[in-house]
Amino acid sequence: MENTKLNIYSHPECLQHISHPERPERLEVLLALFEEMGLGVADAPYAPIESVYNVHNANYVTALMRLSQNCAEDEDALYKSNQPRDEVDINIGSYDAAMRAAGAGCQAVDDIFAEKTNRAFCAVRPPGHHAELALAMGFCLFNNAFITARHAQEHHGVKRVAIIDFDVHHGNGAEMMASVYDDVFAISSHQDDLYPVGRGTTASNLDSKVLNVPLRDGDTITEVMTAYNEKIFPALDKFKPELIIIAAGFDAHKDDDISGIQLESEDYATLTALLVEAANTHCAGRIVSTLEGGYNLEALKESVRHHILALQG
Ligand SMILES: [Zn+2]
């Protein structure tokens, strides 16, 4: 494809999942931003169920569906994982929202490989990067990025997919799944010792399917760029991805109280521009970016604005 084109995917049902602080207002501010920027938003379809089963355990998917659909209106159920103190809010809208969130990524790769676009941003919730094979945790139900990666492998003849997770928390879901499924490279930069505690250390990097790059409380774009230039981009050059998926969390922003990393909104443009450069080098510019965290509404909105402008560039 000659010119860069960016498609945005979302769905009103992604607002129907109720949880805190991963709340519907996060998506509402982004939908307002797209309108302000004059960007159209395509409806995210339900994910093909076989693409969800291609990643998650079928019994787990059914259990989440039942838990959600058995809720009365205005009632909350609690998904309790087998990990202590880890709970995820579920309500009647949660399953539909999660299926749309995963479906956005699947549709994005379908459109990219049909050469209708070469970049995509999925403005969806619930987020996905903490979800493991049969485990909801950290506000995440289905691993949207990994479902997208496997969908591309299954339907579009893609072999090597890199998932680059710049959310301030460790992408434990992709790390676990990369050890089970072939040819997906799980890269995560995150603040050391945040959620999930004890995960995302460099000890996992012995396996060439995983690259964890822990950052420190107080780090700014300078340290983040050093980490990307010295560790992540060289690894990406070696892997030669045919598709890049960004697990795009914006909670490393200085105004987001959830972390101590000090990124400015514009720093997301700097970082994204380098990811675009890597995609241009390796995979004809193909990038699917899917929303993960980011809890300060104003910081989220401005960071996504810069992310999108760089994806268009
Ligand atoms: Zn996060």
Side-chain angles (χ1 to χ4, degrees):
M1 175 171 290
E2 286 291 300
N3 297 317
T4 295
K5 193 167 178 289
L6 173 76
N7 279 12
I8 295 177
Y9 302 85
S10 189
H11 197 279
E13 284 180 5
C14 290
L15 297 165
Q16 304 301 317
H17 165 66
I18 309 301
S19 139
H20 297 278
E22 196 290 286
R23 55 209 193 278
E25 289 83 352
R26 298 179 60 242
L27 181 52
E28 283 168 359
V29 297
L30 296 187
L31 295 174
L33 169 71
F34 304 145
E35 206 169 304
E36 196 186 309
M37 294 176 81
L39 299 169
V41 178
D43 264 353
Y46 244 59
I49 193 70
E50 67 275 11
S51 293
V52 180
Y53 290 160
N54 208 15
V55 169
H56 291 284
N57 176 301
N59 290 336
Y60 165 73
V61 176
T62 307
L64 279 186
M65 182 185 75
R66 292 211 177 114
L67 198 55
S68 172
Q69 293 179 349
N70 288 340
C71 285
E73 294 285 344
D74 301 324
E75 184 198 21
D76 283 331
L78 214 48
Y79 169 96
K80 288 192 190 185
S81 79
N82 54 10
Q83 301 198 345
R85 299 184 307 280
D86 215 319
E87 300 173 341
V88 178
D89 289 326
I90 301 276
N91 66 298
I92 193 163
S94 301
Y95 182 75
D96 291 338
M99 287 297 280
R100 298 283 181 189
C106 296
Q107 185 65 50
V109 289
D110 289 348
D111 289 344
I112 283 174
F113 287 97
E115 299 200 352
K116 292 179 186 166
T117 186
N118 50 7
R119 309 265 159 77
F121 181 69
C122 303
V124 293
R125 54 182 297 280
H129 75 144
H130 294 305
E132 298 192 342
L133 292 178
L135 182 65
M137 57 185 276
F139 313 133
C140 301
L141 302 183
F142 297 146
N143 198 306
N144 306 319
F146 217 98
I147 290 169
T148 302
R150 297 268 295 160
H151 182 87
Q153 290 177 326
E154 195 74 14
H155 294 275
H156 301 290
V158 172
K159 191 162 184 266
R160 294 177 310 281
V161 183
I163 297 177
I164 303 168
D165 184 333
F166 62 57
D167 187 281
V168 83
H169 301 96
H170 175 232
N172 58 291
E175 176 187 88
M176 182 226 210
M177 290 167 177
S179 69
V180 176
Y181 299 116
D182 289 337
D183 299 315
V184 181
F185 188 17
I187 300 171
S188 176
S189 63
H190 47 268
Q191 185 179 325
D192 204 3
D193 277 342
L194 280 188
Y195 181 89
V197 174
R199 300 285 298 272
T201 67
T202 51
S204 308
N205 294 351
L206 295 173
D207 181 344
S208 61
K209 299 166 158 194
V210 168
L211 178 60
N212 286 312
V213 183
L215 301 162
R216 293 205 188 114
D217 192 353
D219 278 358
T220 66
I221 187 67
T222 308
E223 290 80 17
V224 172
M225 290 319 303
T226 302
Y228 273 76
N229 286 324
E230 290 182 359
K231 300 193 175 112
I232 293 177
F233 291 119
L236 213 51
D237 288 343
K238 221 169 134 190
F239 180 69
K240 298 183 174 47
E242 294 160 86
L243 171 69
I244 289 178
I245 297 175
I246 304 177
F250 299 90
D251 42 7
H253 194 284
K254 66 177 174 45
D255 295 337
D256 201 314
D257 294 338
I258 212 161
S259 85
I261 306 283
Q262 302 290 313
L263 293 189
E264 310 269 351
S265 305
E266 309 82 69
D267 294 338
Y268 286 100
T270 310
L271 182 54
T272 305
L274 290 175
L275 294 171
V276 163
E277 209 178 295
N280 286 339
T281 303
H282 295 294
C283 49
R286 292 189 288 266
I287 295 181
V288 177
S289 173
T290 185
L291 180 67
E292 302 288 356
Y295 304 98
N296 175 311
L297 297 181
E298 188 57 27
L300 174 66
K301 183 179 174 185
E302 290 312 308
S303 301
V304 169
R305 183 197 303 275
H306 287 282
H307 180 57
I308 283 190
L309 289 172
L311 283 175
Q312 287 175 318

